[in-house]
Amino acid sequence: MKKALRYLLMVVGIIAVAAGGFAAFIAFRGVPSYKAEPMNLKVEATPARIEKGQKLSAMLCNHCHMDPNTNALTGRRMDEAPQFGAIYSKNITNHPEYGIGSWTDGQLAYLLRTGIKPDGTFLPIMARLPHMSDEDVASIISFLRSDHVWVQPNETVQPQTQYSFLAKFITNIGAIEPADLPTHKIEPPDTTNTVAWGRYIAVAQLECYSCHSADFKTNDMANPEKSAGFFGGGNKLLSPDGKEIFTRNLTMDEETGLGRWTEEEFVKALKYGQSPHGTLRPPMAPYPYLTDGEAKAIFAYLKTIPKIKNNIPRN
């Protein structure tokens, strides 16, 4: 009996040492880097693309990169997801040293698609857009190259991000990893197919499912519909005043989702932040750049996905 107990204690000790060693390795290694393989791409910046790119930037880039102190995309501290550490978004103005002014179009496209910078740094909380159309990617790049006040060269430098152990752990085990680079041309959506158009905006373009599914750690970027709790909400974020806030269930469950909402109510909430239950709370921001048609298309798509009963805490 004593011999068996001694062996058991030895096994437990070995496991503890191995676990401690693995934890030390993760803490030392940090978020893994990858080999960057920039695309061979040269974008023609037309006025139409710059205009479309500004709209997409306003809905995608500005929320994370807009600094209220500079009124430019010079980055800021992001406190919405503290579980990932002290996160700072970067300067993406056209400054050649402190921004992205020296990057090639291919390097920008590769970052937007995969989340990997030219030096191989992986940005795990950055939106990755593997399903966005080639034309929309070209439009974003065109805008970032423009002379708009948001992206004019600026010398602002943000502090280095300090990732939490959780962020290091989940990126090392592959729970959050770079997106795969598309292997084929991605065409814009067919806007005559309202549901397909809505899916494109909500899933490929704005990645609404990323926040409105169960958890960032269980999102499936390659196959978004396979994400745990797809559009069922419950993902924990922080409000600007530091309070826990959980994303809303956007499925059409009548009791806990949007099943009793009208199209008009949804459009008003999405574009102007006014829901039937009051003003939407940060970090959710309204999307006034969306047309009514785009907002209605998203609602039409949400009506087609499986309902999830998920009673989200409201604090």
Side-chain angles (χ1 to χ4, degrees), residues 79-246:
D79 293 319
E80 294 91 333
Q83 62 268 39
F84 293 108
I87 309 295
Y88 293 88
S89 59
K90 297 305 181 182
N91 183 335
I92 57 170
T93 70
N94 278 310
H95 195 284
E97 181 178 357
Y98 302 113
I100 58 173
S102 63
W103 292 25
T104 68
D105 292 347
Q107 288 172 330
L108 279 172
Y110 192 76
L111 173 69
L112 291 170
R113 291 293 197 193
T114 67
I116 301 174
K117 294 173 60 177
D119 64 0
T121 300
F122 173 45
L123 304 177
I125 70 165
M126 177 178 167
R128 301 181 289 289
L129 306 168
H131 307 292
M132 178 179 275
S133 74
D134 293 351
E135 181 59 31
D136 279 353
V137 170
S139 294
I140 293 175
I141 293 172
S142 297
F143 173 72
L144 293 176
R145 299 290 195 206
S146 74
D147 60 0
H148 192 280
V149 65
W150 294 346
V151 292
Q152 287 180 8
N154 188 294
E155 296 182 352
T156 298
V157 178
Q158 298 296 337
Q160 287 295 316
T161 288
Q162 301 297 320
Y163 288 111
S164 65
F165 180 80
L166 173 64
K168 297 172 184 178
F169 178 76
I170 61 179
T171 53
N172 273 277
I173 65 171
I176 293 181
E177 58 186 353
D180 292 330
L181 196 66
T183 57
H184 60 281
K185 182 177 177 60
I186 303 179
E187 299 290 348
D190 177 7
T191 56
T192 64
N193 183 333
T194 304
V195 171
W197 186 22
R199 181 194 181 278
Y200 174 78
I201 299 169
V203 175
Q205 193 179 72
L206 300 184
E207 285 198 329
C208 307
Y209 80 92
S210 180
C211 286
H212 283 279
S213 295
D215 195 299
F216 293 119
K217 300 188 294 295
T218 53
N219 284 339
D220 188 330
M221 191 154 291
N223 302 284
E225 283 83 356
K226 294 183 180 180
S227 300
F230 185 63
F231 275 110
N235 200 352
K236 185 173 71 173
L237 304 175
L238 278 189
S239 65
D241 59 0
K243 294 180 179 178
E244 286 186 352
I245 187 169
F246 298 87

Side-chain angles (χ1 to χ4, degrees), residues 241-262:
D241 59 0
K243 294 180 179 178
E244 286 186 352
I245 187 169
F246 298 87
T247 56
R248 187 176 181 93
N249 181 353
L250 299 187
T251 71
M252 291 296 154
D253 180 69
E254 289 78 4
E255 299 299 326
T256 66
L258 304 183
R260 296 179 180 176
W261 284 39
T262 66

